[in-house]
Amino acid sequence: EDQVTQSPEALRLQEGESSSLNCSYTVSGLRGLFWYRQDPGKGPEFLFTLYSAGEEKEKERLKATLTKKESFLHITAPKPEDSATYLCAVQAGNNNDMRFGAGTRLTVKP
Amino acid sequence: EPEVTQTPSHQVTQMGQEVILRCVPISNHLYFYWYRQILGQKVEFLVSFYNNEISEKSEIFDDQFSVERPDGSNFTLKIRSTKLEDSAMYFCASSELRTQYFGPGTRLLVL
C-alpha cells in the first residue's frame, strides 16, 4: 500500500534557525510529489511540485528536494510568519488523486 | 491571482439531513476534486471529476455522496443523509494538469 510519512510531527525553531522537514514515501510509479502549507482552519496552499529524483525547487526561504525515497523541505533563516503545518502529498500510478502525509507542524519563535 | 472558492464556509446540520457543498474551481482547469480532513487527521481524497464524470473515487465516497457540475462554473458535493462522522473540513481542489489548487474549505458539523 502507498505510504507517505512525514517527520518530525512537530518542530519548534528560533527565528533564523535553519532546519529541514522530511517526507518519505513508498509508492509504485511516482508521478509527482507536492508540498503544501496549511494554516489553521484554512485550505492547503501550494508550494512546490517535484517530478523526478534530483529535482530541486526554491521559493524565498524554502527549498524542496527529491530523491527516490524521500523529499526534504529546507527552511533557511525562518521567520515567525513561516509557522504553519507543512504537508507532503504524492501522486502515483495512473491516478490523479493525492495521498497526503500527516504533516509537520512548524513553530518559529521570535 | 485565480483561486478556488467554496461556500458556505461553515455548515451546521442535523444527522440524517442532506447537505450540498459548493465550489467554484479555477476557470481554465479541467480536473476537479473533493477532499476531507477530519479534525487533527490527514487530508483524505474523496473523488475526482473530469469531462463531466467521476474519474476516481476512494472507499470513503460511498452511495451517500454524489458530485455534480450543474453549470460551467460550479462543482458540488452532496451528502444525502449526514452522519456524525461526516463532520470535517471539506476541501475542493482543481487542476489544469497535476498540480492541484485548494479552496479555503467548508467546515461541516453534524449534530
Side-chain angles (χ1 to χ4, degrees):
Chain A
E1 184 182 318
D2 295 346
Q3 295 270 17
V4 182
T5 304
Q6 292 188 245
S7 61
E9 287 184 17
L11 181 63
R12 296 170 71 92
L13 299 174
Q14 287 296 128
E15 184 172 2
E17 180 187 0
S18 302
S19 189
S20 296
L21 282 55
N22 178 264
C23 172
S24 63
Y25 61 92
T26 53
V27 298
S28 298
L30 181 74
R31 297 176 64 217
L33 186 141
F34 306 83
W35 283 98
Y36 290 86
R37 169 192 170 127
Q38 187 177 32
D39 292 299
K42 308 283 182 162
E45 176 188 343
F46 172 70
L47 294 173
F48 302 109
T49 304
L50 301 165
Y51 293 110
S52 57
E55 191 173 0
E56 298 183 353
K57 295 269 179 76
E58 267 188 88
K59 178 181 176 180
E60 297 180 354
R61 295 179 293 281
L62 300 176
K63 179 181 177 180
T65 62
L66 180 65
T67 72
K68 288 185 178 179
K69 294 182 182 179
E70 58 192 349
S71 176
F72 291 94
L73 184 66
H74 308 277
I75 303 178
T76 302
K79 298 182 178 181
E81 53 261 42
D82 294 322
S83 297
T85 296
Y86 290 84
L87 304 175
C88 167
V90 297
Q91 278 180 345
N94 293 321
N95 302 325
N96 279 337
D97 65 290
M98 290 198 297
R99 184 174 294 269
F100 279 82
T104 293
R105 189 173 65 254
L106 174 67
T107 305
V108 182
K109 296 287 193 180
Chain B
E1 187 176 320
E3 57 184 23
V4 177
T5 59
Q6 291 185 241
T7 54
S9 58
H10 295 79
Q11 174 101 43
V12 181
T13 191
Q14 294 292 322
M15 189 170 57
Q17 294 296 303
E18 175 183 287
V19 295
I20 297 176
L21 309 183
R22 292 182 167 79
C23 168
V24 178
I26 294 172
S27 62
N28 64 330
H29 286 185
L30 302 176
Y31 299 86
F32 314 116
Y33 312 84
W34 284 101
Y35 291 79
R36 80 172 185 191
Q37 187 175 31
I38 295 170
L39 188 63
Q41 297 189 22
K42 294 181 182 183
V43 176
E44 300 174 289
F45 169 75
L46 294 178
V47 66
S48 62
F49 192 85
Y50 172 72
N51 202 25
N52 283 321
E53 62 182 22
I54 290 173
S55 49
E56 295 153 48
K57 60 182 180 178
S58 70
E59 60 275 9
I60 303 169
F61 193 87
D62 61 22
D63 291 345
Q64 71 162 340
F65 290 93
S66 63
V67 290
E68 194 177 39
R69 188 156 163 80
D71 55 44
S73 59
N74 290 285
F75 180 51
T76 62
L77 174 69
K78 181 192 291 186
I79 310 175
R80 286 191 186 82
S81 178
T82 50
K83 304 172 187 170
L84 296 176
E85 54 265 36
D86 293 328
S87 294
M89 282 285 281
Y90 287 81
F91 296 110
C92 174
S94 69
S95 69
E96 195 172 5
L97 289 172
R98 296 186 200 173
T99 298
Q100 296 178 23
Y101 296 88
F102 285 74
T106 293
R107 183 177 298 280
L108 177 64
L109 178 61
V110 182
L111 301 176

